[in-house]
Each structure stands twice: as structure tokens, then as C-alpha cells.
Amino acid sequence: MILKLFPQRPDHPLADSKEFKRILAEILVDRPVNAVEELRGWYQSLKHAENFRLDHYLDVIRQLDDAAQPHLRRLERDYLHSLHLSPLEQQRLWTESYDYWGEVAALYRLCLQRAQLDPKSKGTERFKGALPLVMTRVQAALGAQVRWLAYRYGPVGEDLWGKLGETYLAAEAAGHAQKPVQLYPSVRGLSSVAQHYLHSLVFFTSSMDSLLPQQIDLADRLVAHFSPGFVFSRDCRPDSVYWVDAGGGVAPARLARRPGVSRPCLRFFSPGPTLTALTELIHLVERGEVPSDLNLGGEYPPKVLLPVLHHLRVYWALQPPQRRHHRHSVKTRMAALDGFDHCYAVFAGAAGHLAGEAGAQHWLVENVSLGGFRACLDDSKGERIKLGSLFSMQPEGGENWLLGVARRFNRLAGGRAVVGVQVLSRQARSVELHPRRSGFSTAIPGIYLRDGGEPGLVRIVLPQGGFNVRESLDFNLEGRSCVLIPVELEESGGDYEIARFREQSPG
């Protein structure tokens, strides 16, 4: 009985202050991916550590989490911007980062649970002052998982939405939801549980499935910049655009789909004055100006930033984006080949040989419209379709090939994925273009889009770098010769460009 009067010492290496300082110092100077992997190992061991006083337990987790932040930023930067990562290296960076945020969130949540189980202990009393910070870090970590899922176009499951909503509601009940805290020593400014929850909601409803990973990062930073101006409330206001059942474990949705019966956990949000501020920023960037207070994680030219800004304006608008064409449900198989070279060969007459080669993909088309279609495909190998990729496609049993661009991509459970394709042409044809510049005789391959153009303009798909605004091209158009005068570059993809030309008779 006497022995129980004295608390037992934690049997864990991190409980020893000297050993903890040594481990922390090594983590700080280790390679980022190795440091994050080691931290995850320590987190797993801490889940089962006993006899830690709660305030001491939190202090250990907090210091490890602080030490991880520069490494996590480096991993994210490498994942998004490194040009030389192999698929295996990309997968490792993604897994280490995504799993890190899940494990540190679980430890902070464990702190909250222990405080509830033993509310009157000395450790819990000292822990109470850190409640707003702990809850905010939980919310930020869960939000980081939402962001990493978006980088790979993965679904956000009910479990993650449930934890986000549960943390927000618990903070609201405790009076901490709006409490401003400094999230990490290296992060400027203050944030709160409510702000991070709203950030995740706005991020998700901004349709990241049609942006490239680098654009998703930019969009996330813009959401962080603008989300404090969003209106978030219990009541459905006239300008409310979205709603979420914070206690239901479901994703937020537009008010085009009503929430049904009123429930205590329903919350509504809208861009409010943010939409005007976003439009003003677009006008500034169009003039070549980027405000100094806009933290984008680097410097980006207007041509990179503007597509993301325009995208956000569409999805933050009071009226949802309208489909241009009605969709029809179908079930048909389709062969698909990606890349400019494959597409050029297909429309040059080599389709029969290419359709059966190993590189051909096989999709199941689920619905079609005049503008494109949605198809389901096997994603068990984990090789995502890159948005903006050029595809030539042939429906099963048909002879005609289509030319299109992947505009949306989403991973589903069970190793499946869906791709949304915009059809560029149903009558494409491969051609050779001859620059008129003296002494330059090499032909440029091109894919002539015979349908869908504007009167007087010709649209040509060229290999990357093939468009020169100062170079006119000789072109045989439907059996007659003409000159193509460059007008503008319409779009640039990974290995192709779509350019517009004005047709002119040869002089």
C-alpha cells in the first residue's frame, strides 16, 4: 500500500530528459524522410507508454512535432516540385507525410481522452491551459491529411470527416473553437480550431480533382489566405452556399442538395465578402501584380497563378457551375492511348497496331455528353492519370478514334478510379506543317482538329515547343494549300500544345 503513494516513473526512453535531448538533436539534423520515419516510430511507441504525467506526455509530443515541421515542409516541396523522383520515391514521400499527420493527430487526441478520464490529476490540471493548442493541432493535422489525399486524388473517408467534425464540436462545447493560438513556433500568425475546420471544408468544396498537385498546393495557400473571410454559421443565410453535418461524418455539400431535417450539428458557410476580394486579386494579377502579404510558398508568374484563381472563383460563386451539355448514362468499353506521339500515330493511320500494344489502357465509360465522358478504370497499380494528358480513344466495336484531354481524376475504393475527359475532336487528323522561315525545312508534326473550331480559325495540336507566334506555317487543308498565321497558344500540356491559327491563301 505504501508503494502506491509514490507515482511510478515512465518506462520509456523519451522520459529521460538527457536521452530525449540527444534524440531530438539527431532528428533535427537527419535527412527529412528518415527523420519523419523515425518520428513516426517514436509516436507508435508513445501510444502504449504508461506512467507519463499528462503535461509531461504532451510536452514530449509537442517538441517532437515541432522538430518535424521543417522536415515535413521539405518532403512536401520535394513531392510537388522535384523532377527526378521515381514512382517509388514519390510513394514513400506521400506515405511518410500522410501517415505522420494521422499518427500525430491520434496522439494529441489520446491526450484529450486521458484528460477526460483523469480530470483531477495534477498533470491534467497543468494540461488544461494547452487545450486550445492541442485541439487546433489535431484539426490542422487532419486537414493536412485531406490535402495529401487531394495530391493523389484519393477519397476523404467518413472516418476523417468524423474526426474533423468531432474535434470542432468538442472545441465549440468547451469554448475553445475560436481561441487564437500560434500553431507552431515556425508559423506566423494565429489560427484556431474553427479556422482550420473551415479551411478543410472550403478546400474540399473547391474541386481539387481538376487541378494538378502543384496547383492544389497553390489553391490550399489561397484558401488559407481567404478562408478567414468566409461566413460560417449555425443558420442557413440567404447567401449560404455550402452546408456540413459536423456530427455526421459526411463531406460538405452545396446547398443545391438540401440537408433535409434540421439538426444541431448542421453548419452553413459561404464566401461572403471573400468573393469580391478574390475578384480584386484576379484583376491585380492580370496586371502583373502579386500582393506582398500573399504567402504562396514561392514566387509564381501570373500565367501560373491565374488559372488557380479563376478555378476558385467558379467554385466559390453563389451559383454552382453549370454543365454545358446534358449527360447520358451508358456502359461501353474504350481503348485509350496517352501522349502526343501515340495520338499522332493513331490519326496518321497506325491505330490498328497501337490499340493492341501493352501501353493501351482499357476504360469503362459510364456517361457521355457532347463535351466529353466519364470513365472508370483499374487503378490497382497506383499509377495516376496526369491531368491535362492527351489521349486518343476508341469505343469498343467502333472504328472512329476520338482525341481528348483528361480534366478530372478521382481514386475510389477497391483499386478503381474515375477519369473525366473533355473531347477535343471526333474528326482529328495527323498532318505535317512546314515553317515558312528560310533555311528551316524540317516538318513539324501536328494533329488538325477538324471540328469544334471558330469560323476562320484553325486549331492544331503540336508537340511541346512547336508553337512560335512569329512563325507562319504551310499546311495542306482538305486537299488545298494554305498558310497558317499564328494567333495564340490556347493550352499547353505535358508533351503537347494547342494553338490557334488564322487561315490565309498562299501569296
Side-chain angles (χ1 to χ4, degrees):
M1 291 294 293
I2 295 176
L3 293 177
K4 292 185 179 180
L5 297 174
F6 300 94
Q8 291 179 287
R9 294 175 61 87
D11 184 17
H12 194 282
L14 300 182
D16 181 270
S17 59
K18 290 184 179 180
E19 180 68 3
F20 181 47
K21 288 180 181 178
R22 184 192 66 78
I23 291 170
L24 203 58
E26 291 179 355
I27 288 172
L28 287 168
V29 298
D30 203 352
R31 289 182 60 238
V33 69
N34 293 340
V36 172
E37 185 176 32
E38 182 178 352
L39 283 162
R40 288 180 53 226
W42 285 118
Y43 289 160
Q44 289 166 10
S45 71
L46 281 167
K47 288 180 184 177
H48 310 290
E50 297 180 352
N51 303 320
F52 266 103
R53 205 173 73 178
L54 184 54
D55 58 329
H56 183 199
Y57 186 69
L58 171 64
D59 190 54
V60 169
I61 297 168
R62 181 186 57 78
Q63 289 190 63
L64 292 174
D65 192 18
D66 289 348
Q69 296 311 304
H71 295 311
L72 291 164
R73 288 193 293 271
R74 176 61 184 273
L75 293 191
E76 192 162 10
R77 192 161 58 245
D78 288 348
Y79 180 84
L80 292 171
H81 301 291
S82 179
L83 301 177
H84 307 293
L85 292 177
S86 68
L88 284 177
E89 289 171 324
Q90 281 188 326
Q91 181 63 46
R92 186 186 180 194
L93 295 186
W94 189 92
T95 300
E96 292 295 339
S97 299
Y98 178 80
D99 288 353
Y100 175 90
W101 289 114
E103 287 169 4
V104 79
L107 278 180
Y108 284 130
R109 283 165 57 84
L110 184 58
C111 289
L112 298 170
Q113 292 166 10
R114 290 186 178 182
Q116 289 180 331
L117 292 173
D118 191 11
K120 296 185 178 180
S121 69
K122 183 182 293 185
T124 300
E125 287 297 326
R126 294 184 177 181
F127 169 81
K128 288 179 181 177
L131 268 174
L133 175 64
V134 173
M135 288 183 159
T136 305
R137 285 200 178 187
V138 170
Q139 204 74 323
L142 297 173
Q145 286 197 296
V146 174
R147 183 174 72 253
W148 277 96
L149 285 169
Y151 289 153
R152 287 183 62 80
Y153 308 100
V156 181
E158 291 184 3
D159 181 60
L160 188 48
W161 284 122
K163 290 173 183 175
L164 283 160
E166 177 186 317
T167 305
Y168 168 72
L169 292 173
E172 187 180 64
H176 301 315
Q178 305 290 342
K179 178 73 174 178
V181 298
Q182 184 174 10
L183 187 63
Y184 290 101
S186 57
V187 175
R188 292 182 299 172
L190 303 177
S191 57
S192 67
V193 175
Q195 189 172 326
H196 282 282
Y197 184 47
L198 180 58
H199 182 126
S200 295
L201 299 175
V202 173
F203 177 87
F204 181 82
T205 54
S206 297
S207 192
M208 299 300 169
D209 60 350
S210 59
L211 296 177
L212 295 169
Q214 297 89 339
Q215 293 176 313
I216 293 173
D217 176 53
L218 273 177
D220 180 65
R221 293 174 182 276
L222 288 164
V223 169
H225 180 78
F226 284 114
S227 62
F230 271 66
V231 178
F232 187 65
S233 69
R234 293 172 177 266
D235 303 317
C236 184
R237 298 156 47 103
D239 64 344
S240 294
V241 179
Y242 296 96
W243 64 273
V244 66
D245 183 352
V250 294
R254 263 198 179 262
L255 275 166
R257 178 167 68 86
R258 307 297 296 184
V261 180
S262 179
R263 302 181 290 282
C265 296
L266 282 180
R267 298 293 183 271
F268 302 86
F269 59 103
S270 70
T274 296
L275 197 56
T276 300
L278 175 62
T279 301
E280 291 173 352
L281 176 60
I282 289 173
H283 294 330
L284 280 176
V285 176
E286 286 174 339
R287 297 199 299 266
E289 304 174 30
V290 179
S292 59
D293 65 336
L294 190 60
N295 177 20
L296 300 177
E299 295 185 4
Y300 295 91
K303 68 177 183 179
V304 173
L305 185 54
L306 278 171
V308 181
L309 291 169
H310 287 300
H311 174 90
L312 293 179
R313 183 166 63 176
V314 168
Y315 287 93
W316 294 358
L318 298 182
Q319 295 297 324
Q322 301 294 319
R323 297 194 184 279
R324 294 176 59 189
H325 306 291
H326 184 67
R327 291 190 173 192
H328 303 275
S329 296
V330 298
K331 291 291 181 184
T332 184
R333 296 190 180 278
M334 179 175 283
L337 291 160
D338 71 320
F340 177 85
D341 291 342
H342 276 149
C343 294
Y344 181 82
V346 163
F347 295 108
H353 166 69
L354 289 170
E357 71 170 30
Q361 301 181 34
H362 298 281
W363 300 346
L364 178 63
V365 179
E366 297 180 333
N367 60 58
V368 299
S369 72
L370 288 176
F373 59 85
R374 182 178 185 267
C376 188
L377 59 138
D378 181 8
D379 186 51
S380 57
K381 297 180 181 179
E383 297 178 1
R384 72 167 182 263
I385 289 176
K386 186 175 181 181
L387 293 181
S389 295
L390 192 69
F391 281 90
S392 51
M393 301 150 294
Q394 185 184 47
E396 186 176 58
E399 297 183 359
N400 188 46
W401 283 79
L402 314 176
L403 184 68
V405 175
R407 297 300 189 196
R408 291 183 180 276
F409 183 75
N410 287 105
R411 282 194 163 91
L412 307 175
R416 307 294 289 171
V418 292
V419 59
V421 176
Q422 177 192 2
V423 174
L424 297 177
S425 177
R426 291 175 169 80
Q427 303 177 42
R429 189 180 73 187
S430 295
V431 295
E432 288 189 350
L433 307 161
H434 298 274
R436 309 201 90 204
R437 186 169 52 210
S438 175
F440 194 89
S441 58
T442 303
I444 299 173
I447 304 174
Y448 168 42
L449 308 180
R450 292 193 286 178
D451 50 336
E454 300 176 29
L457 293 180
V458 174
R459 297 168 74 222
I460 306 283
V461 182
L462 301 166
Q464 183 65 244
F467 178 74
N468 185 342
V469 72
R470 298 180 179 86
E471 184 70 74
S472 298
L473 304 170
D474 285 324
F475 173 48
N476 188 291
L477 178 62
E478 308 292 352
R480 60 186 178 82
S481 297
C482 67
V483 178
L484 299 181
I485 309 299
V487 174
E488 65 176 351
L489 186 64
E490 180 181 305
E491 180 178 347
S492 181
D495 64 347
Y496 70 93
E497 297 173 342
I498 303 177
R500 296 185 184 191
F501 299 86
R502 184 172 290 106
E503 178 188 349
Q504 180 176 295
S505 300

mmCIF file with all atom_site columns, all heavy atoms in Angstrom, residues 267-278:
data_model
loop_
_atom_site.group_PDB
_atom_site.id
_atom_site.type_symbol
_atom_site.label_atom_id
_atom_site.label_alt_id
_atom_site.label_comp_id
_atom_site.label_asym_id
_atom_site.label_entity_id
_atom_site.label_seq_id
_atom_site.pdbx_PDB_ins_code
_atom_site.Cartn_x
_atom_site.Cartn_y
_atom_site.Cartn_z
_atom_site.occupancy
_atom_site.B_iso_or_equiv
_atom_site.pdbx_formal_charge
_atom_site.auth_seq_id
_atom_site.auth_comp_id
_atom_site.auth_asym_id
_atom_site.auth_atom_id
_atom_site.pdbx_PDB_model_num
ATOM 1  N N   . ARG A 1 267 ? -24.007 23.010 -40.032 1.00 0.00 ? 267 ARG A N   1
ATOM 2  C CA  . ARG A 1 267 ? -23.346 24.307 -40.150 1.00 0.00 ? 267 ARG A CA  1
ATOM 3  C C   . ARG A 1 267 ? -23.385 24.716 -41.620 1.00 0.00 ? 267 ARG A C   1
ATOM 4  O O   . ARG A 1 267 ? -23.364 23.870 -42.523 1.00 0.00 ? 267 ARG A O   1
ATOM 5  C CB  . ARG A 1 267 ? -21.887 24.250 -39.664 1.00 0.00 ? 267 ARG A CB  1
ATOM 6  C CG  . ARG A 1 267 ? -21.725 23.886 -38.195 1.00 0.00 ? 267 ARG A CG  1
ATOM 7  C CD  . ARG A 1 267 ? -22.269 24.973 -37.279 1.00 0.00 ? 267 ARG A CD  1
ATOM 8  N NE  . ARG A 1 267 ? -22.040 24.642 -35.876 1.00 0.00 ? 267 ARG A NE  1
ATOM 9  C CZ  . ARG A 1 267 ? -22.855 23.940 -35.116 1.00 0.00 ? 267 ARG A CZ  1
ATOM 10 N NH1 . ARG A 1 267 ? -23.984 23.444 -35.654 1.00 0.00 ? 267 ARG A NH1 1
ATOM 11 N NH2 . ARG A 1 267 ? -22.576 23.699 -33.846 1.00 0.00 ? 267 ARG A NH2 1
ATOM 12 N N   . PHE A 1 268 ? -23.432 26.023 -41.853 1.00 0.00 ? 268 PHE A N   1
ATOM 13 C CA  . PHE A 1 268 ? -23.537 26.569 -43.206 1.00 0.00 ? 268 PHE A CA  1
ATOM 14 C C   . PHE A 1 268 ? -22.400 27.560 -43.432 1.00 0.00 ? 268 PHE A C   1
ATOM 15 O O   . PHE A 1 268 ? -21.963 28.239 -42.506 1.00 0.00 ? 268 PHE A O   1
ATOM 16 C CB  . PHE A 1 268 ? -24.883 27.261 -43.391 1.00 0.00 ? 268 PHE A CB  1
ATOM 17 C CG  . PHE A 1 268 ? -26.057 26.355 -43.149 1.00 0.00 ? 268 PHE A CG  1
ATOM 18 C CD1 . PHE A 1 268 ? -26.565 26.161 -41.872 1.00 0.00 ? 268 PHE A CD1 1
ATOM 19 C CD2 . PHE A 1 268 ? -26.645 25.675 -44.211 1.00 0.00 ? 268 PHE A CD2 1
ATOM 20 C CE1 . PHE A 1 268 ? -27.637 25.313 -41.649 1.00 0.00 ? 268 PHE A CE1 1
ATOM 21 C CE2 . PHE A 1 268 ? -27.723 24.828 -43.997 1.00 0.00 ? 268 PHE A CE2 1
ATOM 22 C CZ  . PHE A 1 268 ? -28.213 24.647 -42.719 1.00 0.00 ? 268 PHE A CZ  1
ATOM 23 N N   . PHE A 1 269 ? -21.920 27.620 -44.671 1.00 0.00 ? 269 PHE A N   1
ATOM 24 C CA  . PHE A 1 269 ? -20.844 28.588 -44.944 1.00 0.00 ? 269 PHE A CA  1
ATOM 25 C C   . PHE A 1 269 ? -20.933 29.105 -46.371 1.00 0.00 ? 269 PHE A C   1
ATOM 26 O O   . PHE A 1 269 ? -21.504 28.456 -47.258 1.00 0.00 ? 269 PHE A O   1
ATOM 27 C CB  . PHE A 1 269 ? -19.467 27.997 -44.644 1.00 0.00 ? 269 PHE A CB  1
ATOM 28 C CG  . PHE A 1 269 ? -19.095 26.744 -45.405 1.00 0.00 ? 269 PHE A CG  1
ATOM 29 C CD1 . PHE A 1 269 ? -18.217 26.787 -46.475 1.00 0.00 ? 269 PHE A CD1 1
ATOM 30 C CD2 . PHE A 1 269 ? -19.604 25.511 -45.020 1.00 0.00 ? 269 PHE A CD2 1
ATOM 31 C CE1 . PHE A 1 269 ? -17.853 25.632 -47.148 1.00 0.00 ? 269 PHE A CE1 1
ATOM 32 C CE2 . PHE A 1 269 ? -19.246 24.347 -45.681 1.00 0.00 ? 269 PHE A CE2 1
ATOM 33 C CZ  . PHE A 1 269 ? -18.364 24.414 -46.755 1.00 0.00 ? 269 PHE A CZ  1
ATOM 34 N N   . SER A 1 270 ? -20.369 30.292 -46.534 1.00 0.00 ? 270 SER A N   1
ATOM 35 C CA  . SER A 1 270 ? -20.369 30.947 -47.843 1.00 0.00 ? 270 SER A CA  1
ATOM 36 C C   . SER A 1 270 ? -19.151 31.862 -47.917 1.00 0.00 ? 270 SER A C   1
ATOM 37 O O   . SER A 1 270 ? -18.582 32.242 -46.888 1.00 0.00 ? 270 SER A O   1
ATOM 38 C CB  . SER A 1 270 ? -21.646 31.772 -48.034 1.00 0.00 ? 270 SER A CB  1
ATOM 39 O OG  . SER A 1 270 ? -21.624 32.904 -47.191 1.00 0.00 ? 270 SER A OG  1
ATOM 40 N N   . PRO A 1 271 ? -18.727 32.233 -49.135 1.00 0.00 ? 271 PRO A N   1
ATOM 41 C CA  . PRO A 1 271 ? -17.552 33.119 -49.258 1.00 0.00 ? 271 PRO A CA  1
ATOM 42 C C   . PRO A 1 271 ? -17.793 34.521 -48.751 1.00 0.00 ? 271 PRO A C   1
ATOM 43 O O   . PRO A 1 271 ? -16.845 35.225 -48.398 1.00 0.00 ? 271 PRO A O   1
ATOM 44 C CB  . PRO A 1 271 ? -17.260 33.108 -50.762 1.00 0.00 ? 271 PRO A CB  1
ATOM 45 C CG  . PRO A 1 271 ? -18.545 32.716 -51.394 1.00 0.00 ? 271 PRO A CG  1
ATOM 46 C CD  . PRO A 1 271 ? -19.222 31.790 -50.437 1.00 0.00 ? 271 PRO A CD  1
ATOM 47 N N   . GLY A 1 272 ? -19.071 34.973 -48.691 1.00 0.00 ? 272 GLY A N   1
ATOM 48 C CA  . GLY A 1 272 ? -19.346 36.320 -48.203 1.00 0.00 ? 272 GLY A CA  1
ATOM 49 C C   . GLY A 1 272 ? -18.522 37.358 -48.960 1.00 0.00 ? 272 GLY A C   1
ATOM 50 O O   . GLY A 1 272 ? -18.433 37.332 -50.193 1.00 0.00 ? 272 GLY A O   1
ATOM 51 N N   . PRO A 1 273 ? -17.848 38.266 -48.242 1.00 0.00 ? 273 PRO A N   1
ATOM 52 C CA  . PRO A 1 273 ? -17.052 39.317 -48.906 1.00 0.00 ? 273 PRO A CA  1
ATOM 53 C C   . PRO A 1 273 ? -15.796 38.781 -49.578 1.00 0.00 ? 273 PRO A C   1
ATOM 54 O O   . PRO A 1 273 ? -15.160 39.493 -50.352 1.00 0.00 ? 273 PRO A O   1
ATOM 55 C CB  . PRO A 1 273 ? -16.691 40.262 -47.756 1.00 0.00 ? 273 PRO A CB  1
ATOM 56 C CG  . PRO A 1 273 ? -16.759 39.408 -46.519 1.00 0.00 ? 273 PRO A CG  1
ATOM 57 C CD  . PRO A 1 273 ? -17.864 38.416 -46.779 1.00 0.00 ? 273 PRO A CD  1
ATOM 58 N N   . THR A 1 274 ? -15.447 37.503 -49.298 1.00 0.00 ? 274 THR A N   1
ATOM 59 C CA  . THR A 1 274 ? -14.232 36.928 -49.882 1.00 0.00 ? 274 THR A CA  1
ATOM 60 C C   . THR A 1 274 ? -14.304 36.867 -51.397 1.00 0.00 ? 274 THR A C   1
ATOM 61 O O   . THR A 1 274 ? -13.290 37.008 -52.089 1.00 0.00 ? 274 THR A O   1
ATOM 62 C CB  . THR A 1 274 ? -13.988 35.525 -49.306 1.00 0.00 ? 274 THR A CB  1
ATOM 63 O OG1 . THR A 1 274 ? -13.732 35.640 -47.911 1.00 0.00 ? 274 THR A OG1 1
ATOM 64 C CG2 . THR A 1 274 ? -12.817 34.851 -49.962 1.00 0.00 ? 274 THR A CG2 1
ATOM 65 N N   . LEU A 1 275 ? -15.504 36.665 -51.937 1.00 0.00 ? 275 LEU A N   1
ATOM 66 C CA  . LEU A 1 275 ? -15.644 36.561 -53.385 1.00 0.00 ? 275 LEU A CA  1
ATOM 67 C C   . LEU A 1 275 ? -15.230 37.865 -54.064 1.00 0.00 ? 275 LEU A C   1
ATOM 68 O O   . LEU A 1 275 ? -14.567 37.856 -55.110 1.00 0.00 ? 275 LEU A O   1
ATOM 69 C CB  . LEU A 1 275 ? -17.087 36.202 -53.736 1.00 0.00 ? 275 LEU A CB  1
ATOM 70 C CG  . LEU A 1 275 ? -17.343 35.661 -55.141 1.00 0.00 ? 275 LEU A CG  1
ATOM 71 C CD1 . LEU A 1 275 ? -16.494 34.431 -55.418 1.00 0.00 ? 275 LEU A CD1 1
ATOM 72 C CD2 . LEU A 1 275 ? -18.816 35.331 -55.316 1.00 0.00 ? 275 LEU A CD2 1
ATOM 73 N N   . THR A 1 276 ? -15.589 38.986 -53.466 1.00 0.00 ? 276 THR A N   1
ATOM 74 C CA  . THR A 1 276 ? -15.176 40.293 -54.007 1.00 0.00 ? 276 THR A CA  1
ATOM 75 C C   . THR A 1 276 ? -13.668 40.451 -53.903 1.00 0.00 ? 276 THR A C   1
ATOM 76 O O   . THR A 1 276 ? -13.009 40.932 -54.840 1.00 0.00 ? 276 THR A O   1
ATOM 77 C CB  . THR A 1 276 ? -15.881 41.429 -53.249 1.00 0.00 ? 276 THR A CB  1
ATOM 78 O OG1 . THR A 1 276 ? -17.296 41.282 -53.394 1.00 0.00 ? 276 THR A OG1 1
ATOM 79 C CG2 . THR A 1 276 ? -15.454 42.786 -53.785 1.00 0.00 ? 276 THR A CG2 1
ATOM 80 N N   . ALA A 1 277 ? -13.101 40.051 -52.747 1.00 0.00 ? 277 ALA A N   1
ATOM 81 C CA  . ALA A 1 277 ? -11.652 40.154 -52.557 1.00 0.00 ? 277 ALA A CA  1
ATOM 82 C C   . ALA A 1 277 ? -10.904 39.272 -53.551 1.00 0.00 ? 277 ALA A C   1
ATOM 83 O O   . ALA A 1 277 ? -9.848  39.659 -54.077 1.00 0.00 ? 277 ALA A O   1
ATOM 84 C CB  . ALA A 1 277 ? -11.285 39.768 -51.126 1.00 0.00 ? 277 ALA A CB  1
ATOM 85 N N   . LEU A 1 278 ? -11.444 38.083 -53.840 1.00 0.00 ? 278 LEU A N   1
ATOM 86 C CA  . LEU A 1 278 ? -10.823 37.193 -54.819 1.00 0.00 ? 278 LEU A CA  1
ATOM 87 C C   . LEU A 1 278 ? -10.844 37.816 -56.205 1.00 0.00 ? 278 LEU A C   1
ATOM 88 O O   . LEU A 1 278 ? -9.849  37.762 -56.943 1.00 0.00 ? 278 LEU A O   1
ATOM 89 C CB  . LEU A 1 278 ? -11.545 35.851 -54.817 1.00 0.00 ? 278 LEU A CB  1
ATOM 90 C CG  . LEU A 1 278 ? -11.111 34.826 -55.870 1.00 0.00 ? 278 LEU A CG  1
ATOM 91 C CD1 . LEU A 1 278 ? -9.659  34.433 -55.680 1.00 0.00 ? 278 LEU A CD1 1
ATOM 92 C CD2 . LEU A 1 278 ? -12.002 33.592 -55.826 1.00 0.00 ? 278 LEU A CD2 1
#
